[in-house]
Amino acid sequence: VQVTGRGDRCQTKRIVDKPCARLSLKKHHHRSEHWGVVSGTAEVKIGDEVLLLQENESTFIPAGTAHRLANPGKVSLHLIEVQCGPYLGEDDIIRLEDEYGRLGE
């Protein structure tokens, strides 16, 4: 993950997800997120809905909504994330499921 821009109420990041990788199921109280696929395929879980996004497609994750990003493909997924809200700190991540042992963080 690379931060590419930062403002008072927004931040942009470039995310690269390896093939067959899956990030934690999480939510944020203070920010919403917009995810846009640059290349690859993204499997996005937002609440109970699962979407498959291809290059040049995007989605919106409202604040307080459980969400997860996965790469079901055989090539790396490149994604731009735009975070918007009154607080953008990393301590606003509430992990609900995590394969990397970070539930207590």
Side-chain angles (χ1 to χ4, degrees), residues 20-88:
C20 301
R22 183 167 88 156
L23 301 181
S24 58
L25 179 66
K26 59 189 169 189
K27 64 181 179 178
H28 312 283
H29 289 297
H30 303 287
R31 71 176 183 237
S32 61
E33 296 179 342
H34 301 262
W35 289 350
V37 176
V38 176
S39 64
T41 301
E43 181 182 284
V44 180
K45 179 177 174 65
I46 304 171
D48 294 328
E49 184 178 12
V50 177
L51 308 170
L52 274 180
L53 301 178
Q54 305 295 322
E55 184 174 321
N56 294 322
E57 294 182 326
S58 62
T59 193
F60 171 71
I61 300 110
T65 304
H67 59 282
R68 178 189 306 248
L69 175 66
N71 179 357
K74 295 183 180 182
V75 299
S76 292
L77 165 65
H78 293 256
L79 181 114
I80 299 296
E81 175 180 89
V82 179
Q83 302 172 348
C84 300
Y87 181 73
L88 305 171

